[in-house]
Amino acid sequence: MSNLLSPNVPDGPSEKPSRGPVAEPYTARSVELSPGFDVWRALPQRGRRMVGAWCFLDHVRSPDRTLDVAPHPHIGLQTVTWLHRGAILHLDSLGNERRIAPGELNLMTSGAAIAHAEIAVDRHAALEGLQLWVALPESARNGAPAFEHHDDLPLAHFGTLEARVVAGELDGHRSPATIFSELVGAELRAIEEGDATVPLDPRFEYAALLLEGEAHLEGTQLPEHTLLYLGEGRERLSLAAARESRIFLFGGVPFGEPILMWWNFVARTPDEIARARDAWERGRFGAVRGYEGDVIPAPPLPVRLRAT
Ligand code: MN
């Protein structure tokens, strides 16, 4: 998806991860992703811009609106698309055309440059899901672009919970998705009402987002549309949830590199962002074939990112 109308990611140095467990709520904000189509943006937040390498999280919940995100560019990141209802068609500048349905993962690695479009397959059906971005570390961010689709993601069980490991690793269950830093993204679903304990990696910082239902993490109720940042140093997480509740749990080793995010770019310097913007405006990201309509033009570069 595209950071279309809200290129206002707060600047500044990355926050230090909380040493030791915390439970800090960050309220998601409603953002218009494409005309008439709103999403809940849970990350980045002022005061909490990353969790591990995860630097962006949109929660899409639309009963009847059409998702149509025209071609737009990305650098320096991976997009993780994970649906609960509906289906999306992905088109990219590598020539990939891939429909994604609930329970499947679309993983796009931008490397140095990629462009894509995302369109709801049924323009009148409900659409619900997540799109997250993972910042690429220095060793991978100038690499080749790539796209993967996975429909055989591992399923772990913890008491009354089942956990689908979308990316990375949870308690030894490893997603086949290609990643470049130690992280995890998993959807937890309560098969029955009850309590469960999920083993965690104490080197990771974690956060959780309630997707549906009602749940308590370590005794703290998860409010709707709220990211609960859990800090690092946890060996396990206790969870009590109503039947059919769903929670997205994600985290990773704190990302050691300061990033600069603007629009759809994850970079390191203003100059790099200005160059990527210029390359997009000159059509140098490659065409997204199969999309009928215009590409998304880059917003004006804010003064703070202009060359001095
Ligand atoms: Mn996108």
PDB file of all heavy atoms in Angstrom, residues 28 42 57 59 130 207-212 222-228 246-250:
ATOM      1  N   ALA A  28      -3.944   4.049  17.242  1.00  0.00           N
ATOM      2  CA  ALA A  28      -3.812   4.154  15.789  1.00  0.00           C
ATOM      3  C   ALA A  28      -4.630   5.339  15.293  1.00  0.00           C
ATOM      4  O   ALA A  28      -5.591   5.750  15.941  1.00  0.00           O
ATOM      5  CB  ALA A  28      -4.284   2.867  15.123  1.00  0.00           C
ATOM      6  N   ALA A  42      -1.277   2.052  12.641  1.00  0.00           N
ATOM      7  CA  ALA A  42      -0.810   1.774  13.999  1.00  0.00           C
ATOM      8  C   ALA A  42       0.680   2.059  14.169  1.00  0.00           C
ATOM      9  O   ALA A  42       1.170   2.207  15.292  1.00  0.00           O
ATOM     10  CB  ALA A  42      -1.108   0.318  14.364  1.00  0.00           C
ATOM     11  N   LEU A  57       2.504  -0.068   9.849  1.00  0.00           N
ATOM     12  CA  LEU A  57       1.422  -1.055  10.001  1.00  0.00           C
ATOM     13  C   LEU A  57       0.088  -0.371   9.729  1.00  0.00           C
ATOM     14  O   LEU A  57      -0.327   0.506  10.482  1.00  0.00           O
ATOM     15  CB  LEU A  57       1.428  -1.635  11.426  1.00  0.00           C
ATOM     16  CG  LEU A  57       0.670  -2.946  11.702  1.00  0.00           C
ATOM     17  CD1 LEU A  57       0.773  -3.329  13.156  1.00  0.00           C
ATOM     18  CD2 LEU A  57      -0.752  -2.996  11.234  1.00  0.00           C
ATOM     19  N   HIS A  59      -3.964  -1.188   9.330  1.00  0.00           N
ATOM     20  CA  HIS A  59      -5.031  -2.165   9.526  1.00  0.00           C
ATOM     21  C   HIS A  59      -6.203  -1.734   8.649  1.00  0.00           C
ATOM     22  O   HIS A  59      -6.800  -0.692   8.868  1.00  0.00           O
ATOM     23  CB  HIS A  59      -5.433  -2.206  11.008  1.00  0.00           C
ATOM     24  CG  HIS A  59      -6.415  -3.290  11.327  1.00  0.00           C
ATOM     25  ND1 HIS A  59      -7.115  -3.333  12.509  1.00  0.00           N
ATOM     26  CD2 HIS A  59      -6.807  -4.375  10.632  1.00  0.00           C
ATOM     27  CE1 HIS A  59      -7.903  -4.402  12.510  1.00  0.00           C
ATOM     28  NE2 HIS A  59      -7.736  -5.044  11.385  1.00  0.00           N
ATOM     29  N   LEU A 130      -3.997  -6.622   6.886  1.00  0.00           N
ATOM     30  CA  LEU A 130      -2.889  -5.801   7.347  1.00  0.00           C
ATOM     31  C   LEU A 130      -1.905  -5.599   6.219  1.00  0.00           C
ATOM     32  O   LEU A 130      -1.700  -6.486   5.398  1.00  0.00           O
ATOM     33  CB  LEU A 130      -2.127  -6.511   8.478  1.00  0.00           C
ATOM     34  CG  LEU A 130      -2.891  -6.871   9.742  1.00  0.00           C
ATOM     35  CD1 LEU A 130      -1.975  -7.659  10.673  1.00  0.00           C
ATOM     36  CD2 LEU A 130      -3.409  -5.621  10.433  1.00  0.00           C
ATOM     37  N   ALA A 207       5.275  -5.949  19.942  1.00  0.00           N
ATOM     38  CA  ALA A 207       4.045  -5.172  20.069  1.00  0.00           C
ATOM     39  C   ALA A 207       2.891  -6.044  19.605  1.00  0.00           C
ATOM     40  O   ALA A 207       3.095  -7.035  18.895  1.00  0.00           O
ATOM     41  CB  ALA A 207       4.120  -3.902  19.227  1.00  0.00           C
ATOM     42  N   ALA A 208       1.682  -5.680  20.032  1.00  0.00           N
ATOM     43  CA  ALA A 208       0.494  -6.452  19.663  1.00  0.00           C
ATOM     44  C   ALA A 208      -0.617  -5.510  19.239  1.00  0.00           C
ATOM     45  O   ALA A 208      -0.736  -4.393  19.748  1.00  0.00           O
ATOM     46  CB  ALA A 208       0.039  -7.313  20.841  1.00  0.00           C
ATOM     47  N   LEU A 209      -1.428  -5.983  18.303  1.00  0.00           N
ATOM     48  CA  LEU A 209      -2.582  -5.222  17.823  1.00  0.00           C
ATOM     49  C   LEU A 209      -3.793  -6.147  17.811  1.00  0.00           C
ATOM     50  O   LEU A 209      -3.748  -7.231  17.217  1.00  0.00           O
ATOM     51  CB  LEU A 209      -2.309  -4.703  16.405  1.00  0.00           C
ATOM     52  CG  LEU A 209      -3.428  -3.881  15.766  1.00  0.00           C
ATOM     53  CD1 LEU A 209      -3.525  -2.508  16.430  1.00  0.00           C
ATOM     54  CD2 LEU A 209      -3.203  -3.718  14.266  1.00  0.00           C
ATOM     55  N   LEU A 210      -4.866  -5.711  18.469  1.00  0.00           N
ATOM     56  CA  LEU A 210      -6.112  -6.493  18.448  1.00  0.00           C
ATOM     57  C   LEU A 210      -6.761  -6.352  17.078  1.00  0.00           C
ATOM     58  O   LEU A 210      -6.986  -5.241  16.596  1.00  0.00           O
ATOM     59  CB  LEU A 210      -7.056  -5.969  19.532  1.00  0.00           C
ATOM     60  CG  LEU A 210      -8.383  -6.710  19.658  1.00  0.00           C
ATOM     61  CD1 LEU A 210      -8.180  -8.108  20.237  1.00  0.00           C
ATOM     62  CD2 LEU A 210      -9.360  -5.917  20.529  1.00  0.00           C
ATOM     63  N   LEU A 211      -7.063  -7.479  16.465  1.00  0.00           N
ATOM     64  CA  LEU A 211      -7.710  -7.449  15.153  1.00  0.00           C
ATOM     65  C   LEU A 211      -9.211  -7.652  15.271  1.00  0.00           C
ATOM     66  O   LEU A 211      -9.990  -7.083  14.522  1.00  0.00           O
ATOM     67  CB  LEU A 211      -7.119  -8.544  14.255  1.00  0.00           C
ATOM     68  CG  LEU A 211      -5.606  -8.463  14.028  1.00  0.00           C
ATOM     69  CD1 LEU A 211      -5.119  -9.687  13.270  1.00  0.00           C
ATOM     70  CD2 LEU A 211      -5.245  -7.185  13.287  1.00  0.00           C
ATOM     71  N   GLU A 212      -9.597  -8.494  16.228  1.00  0.00           N
ATOM     72  CA  GLU A 212     -11.010  -8.810  16.400  1.00  0.00           C
ATOM     73  C   GLU A 212     -11.215  -9.443  17.769  1.00  0.00           C
ATOM     74  O   GLU A 212     -10.343 -10.160  18.259  1.00  0.00           O
ATOM     75  CB  GLU A 212     -11.438  -9.800  15.303  1.00  0.00           C
ATOM     76  CG  GLU A 212     -12.923 -10.031  15.255  1.00  0.00           C
ATOM     77  CD  GLU A 212     -13.348 -10.768  13.980  1.00  0.00           C
ATOM     78  OE1 GLU A 212     -12.475 -11.156  13.190  1.00  0.00           O
ATOM     79  OE2 GLU A 212     -14.555 -10.940  13.810  1.00  0.00           O
ATOM     80  N   LEU A 222      -6.463  -5.236  25.662  1.00  0.00           N
ATOM     81  CA  LEU A 222      -6.061  -4.641  24.391  1.00  0.00           C
ATOM     82  C   LEU A 222      -7.228  -3.813  23.864  1.00  0.00           C
ATOM     83  O   LEU A 222      -8.239  -4.373  23.471  1.00  0.00           O
ATOM     84  CB  LEU A 222      -5.760  -5.743  23.377  1.00  0.00           C
ATOM     85  CG  LEU A 222      -4.358  -6.323  23.312  1.00  0.00           C
ATOM     86  CD1 LEU A 222      -4.297  -7.408  22.246  1.00  0.00           C
ATOM     87  CD2 LEU A 222      -3.335  -5.242  23.022  1.00  0.00           C
ATOM     88  N   PRO A 223      -7.079  -2.475  23.831  1.00  0.00           N
ATOM     89  CA  PRO A 223      -8.161  -1.680  23.258  1.00  0.00           C
ATOM     90  C   PRO A 223      -8.168  -1.817  21.737  1.00  0.00           C
ATOM     91  O   PRO A 223      -7.164  -2.194  21.132  1.00  0.00           O
ATOM     92  CB  PRO A 223      -7.804  -0.239  23.656  1.00  0.00           C
ATOM     93  CG  PRO A 223      -6.592  -0.330  24.523  1.00  0.00           C
ATOM     94  CD  PRO A 223      -5.961  -1.653  24.274  1.00  0.00           C
ATOM     95  N   GLU A 224      -9.297  -1.484  21.129  1.00  0.00           N
ATOM     96  CA  GLU A 224      -9.385  -1.494  19.665  1.00  0.00           C
ATOM     97  C   GLU A 224      -8.491  -0.403  19.084  1.00  0.00           C
ATOM     98  O   GLU A 224      -8.278   0.640  19.709  1.00  0.00           O
ATOM     99  CB  GLU A 224     -10.828  -1.220  19.239  1.00  0.00           C
ATOM    100  CG  GLU A 224     -11.718  -2.427  19.293  1.00  0.00           C
ATOM    101  CD  GLU A 224     -12.693  -2.438  18.119  1.00  0.00           C
ATOM    102  OE1 GLU A 224     -13.412  -1.444  17.976  1.00  0.00           O
ATOM    103  OE2 GLU A 224     -12.711  -3.433  17.370  1.00  0.00           O
ATOM    104  N   HIS A 225      -7.997  -0.635  17.895  1.00  0.00           N
ATOM    105  CA  HIS A 225      -7.220   0.367  17.154  1.00  0.00           C
ATOM    106  C   HIS A 225      -6.072   0.930  17.992  1.00  0.00           C
ATOM    107  O   HIS A 225      -5.794   2.123  17.955  1.00  0.00           O
ATOM    108  CB  HIS A 225      -8.123   1.523  16.689  1.00  0.00           C
ATOM    109  CG  HIS A 225      -9.353   1.052  15.983  1.00  0.00           C
ATOM    110  ND1 HIS A 225      -9.303   0.207  14.911  1.00  0.00           N
ATOM    111  CD2 HIS A 225     -10.664   1.309  16.202  1.00  0.00           C
ATOM    112  CE1 HIS A 225     -10.531  -0.040  14.493  1.00  0.00           C
ATOM    113  NE2 HIS A 225     -11.372   0.599  15.259  1.00  0.00           N
ATOM    114  N   THR A 226      -5.446   0.088  18.737  1.00  0.00           N
ATOM    115  CA  THR A 226      -4.364   0.535  19.614  1.00  0.00           C
ATOM    116  C   THR A 226      -3.215  -0.465  19.553  1.00  0.00           C
ATOM    117  O   THR A 226      -3.418  -1.666  19.711  1.00  0.00           O
ATOM    118  CB  THR A 226      -4.867   0.657  21.066  1.00  0.00           C
ATOM    119  OG1 THR A 226      -5.937   1.596  21.092  1.00  0.00           O
ATOM    120  CG2 THR A 226      -3.773   1.112  21.999  1.00  0.00           C
ATOM    121  N   LEU A 227      -2.034   0.076  19.310  1.00  0.00           N
ATOM    122  CA  LEU A 227      -0.840  -0.753  19.346  1.00  0.00           C
ATOM    123  C   LEU A 227      -0.364  -0.819  20.789  1.00  0.00           C
ATOM    124  O   LEU A 227      -0.193   0.224  21.432  1.00  0.00           O
ATOM    125  CB  LEU A 227       0.232  -0.102  18.473  1.00  0.00           C
ATOM    126  CG  LEU A 227       1.520  -0.886  18.299  1.00  0.00           C
ATOM    127  CD1 LEU A 227       1.308  -1.977  17.262  1.00  0.00           C
ATOM    128  CD2 LEU A 227       2.633   0.049  17.844  1.00  0.00           C
ATOM    129  N   LEU A 228      -0.177  -2.016  21.286  1.00  0.00           N
ATOM    130  CA  LEU A 228       0.374  -2.154  22.638  1.00  0.00           C
ATOM    131  C   LEU A 228       1.838  -2.553  22.501  1.00  0.00           C
ATOM    132  O   LEU A 228       2.156  -3.662  22.050  1.00  0.00           O
ATOM    133  CB  LEU A 228      -0.407  -3.199  23.442  1.00  0.00           C
ATOM    134  CG  LEU A 228      -0.047  -3.252  24.929  1.00  0.00           C
ATOM    135  CD1 LEU A 228      -0.472  -1.970  25.639  1.00  0.00           C
ATOM    136  CD2 LEU A 228      -0.669  -4.464  25.609  1.00  0.00           C
ATOM    137  N   ARG A 246      -8.717 -12.382  17.621  1.00  0.00           N
ATOM    138  CA  ARG A 246      -7.490 -12.462  16.840  1.00  0.00           C
ATOM    139  C   ARG A 246      -6.596 -11.281  17.179  1.00  0.00           C
ATOM    140  O   ARG A 246      -7.073 -10.149  17.334  1.00  0.00           O
ATOM    141  CB  ARG A 246      -7.808 -12.485  15.337  1.00  0.00           C
ATOM    142  CG  ARG A 246      -8.496 -13.770  14.908  1.00  0.00           C
ATOM    143  CD  ARG A 246      -8.811 -13.807  13.417  1.00  0.00           C
ATOM    144  NE  ARG A 246      -9.745 -12.775  13.041  1.00  0.00           N
ATOM    145  CZ  ARG A 246      -9.443 -11.738  12.261  1.00  0.00           C
ATOM    146  NH1 ARG A 246      -8.235 -11.608  11.759  1.00  0.00           N
ATOM    147  NH2 ARG A 246     -10.353 -10.837  11.967  1.00  0.00           N
ATOM    148  N   ILE A 247      -5.314 -11.591  17.300  1.00  0.00           N
ATOM    149  CA  ILE A 247      -4.319 -10.579  17.683  1.00  0.00           C
ATOM    150  C   ILE A 247      -3.126 -10.724  16.753  1.00  0.00           C
ATOM    151  O   ILE A 247      -2.699 -11.850  16.465  1.00  0.00           O
ATOM    152  CB  ILE A 247      -3.849 -10.816  19.143  1.00  0.00           C
ATOM    153  CG1 ILE A 247      -5.012 -10.629  20.101  1.00  0.00           C
ATOM    154  CG2 ILE A 247      -2.689  -9.917  19.526  1.00  0.00           C
ATOM    155  CD1 ILE A 247      -5.270 -11.847  20.935  1.00  0.00           C
ATOM    156  N   PHE A 248      -2.578  -9.600  16.301  1.00  0.00           N
ATOM    157  CA  PHE A 248      -1.326  -9.675  15.542  1.00  0.00           C
ATOM    158  C   PHE A 248      -0.188  -9.330  16.490  1.00  0.00           C
ATOM    159  O   PHE A 248      -0.164  -8.259  17.105  1.00  0.00           O
ATOM    160  CB  PHE A 248      -1.337  -8.736  14.338  1.00  0.00           C
ATOM    161  CG  PHE A 248      -0.245  -9.058  13.357  1.00  0.00           C
ATOM    162  CD1 PHE A 248      -0.359 -10.160  12.521  1.00  0.00           C
ATOM    163  CD2 PHE A 248       0.901  -8.287  13.284  1.00  0.00           C
ATOM    164  CE1 PHE A 248       0.652 -10.483  11.616  1.00  0.00           C
ATOM    165  CE2 PHE A 248       1.920  -8.605  12.389  1.00  0.00           C
ATOM    166  CZ  PHE A 248       1.795  -9.702  11.555  1.00  0.00           C
ATOM    167  N   LEU A 249       0.738 -10.267  16.628  1.00  0.00           N
ATOM    168  CA  LEU A 249       1.900 -10.112  17.504  1.00  0.00           C
ATOM    169  C   LEU A 249       3.134  -9.998  16.617  1.00  0.00           C
ATOM    170  O   LEU A 249       3.343 -10.841  15.740  1.00  0.00           O
ATOM    171  CB  LEU A 249       2.026 -11.328  18.426  1.00  0.00           C
ATOM    172  CG  LEU A 249       3.260 -11.370  19.318  1.00  0.00           C
ATOM    173  CD1 LEU A 249       3.177 -10.309  20.421  1.00  0.00           C
ATOM    174  CD2 LEU A 249       3.419 -12.765  19.942  1.00  0.00           C
ATOM    175  N   PHE A 250       3.923  -8.962  16.828  1.00  0.00           N
ATOM    176  CA  PHE A 250       5.100  -8.809  15.980  1.00  0.00           C
ATOM    177  C   PHE A 250       6.238  -8.176  16.765  1.00  0.00           C
ATOM    178  O   PHE A 250       6.021  -7.536  17.801  1.00  0.00           O
ATOM    179  CB  PHE A 250       4.773  -8.004  14.720  1.00  0.00           C
ATOM    180  CG  PHE A 250       4.351  -6.580  14.967  1.00  0.00           C
ATOM    181  CD1 PHE A 250       5.226  -5.533  14.709  1.00  0.00           C
ATOM    182  CD2 PHE A 250       3.087  -6.288  15.455  1.00  0.00           C
ATOM    183  CE1 PHE A 250       4.841  -4.212  14.924  1.00  0.00           C
ATOM    184  CE2 PHE A 250       2.696  -4.974  15.682  1.00  0.00           C
ATOM    185  CZ  PHE A 250       3.574  -3.933  15.418  1.00  0.00           C
TER     186      PHE A 250
END
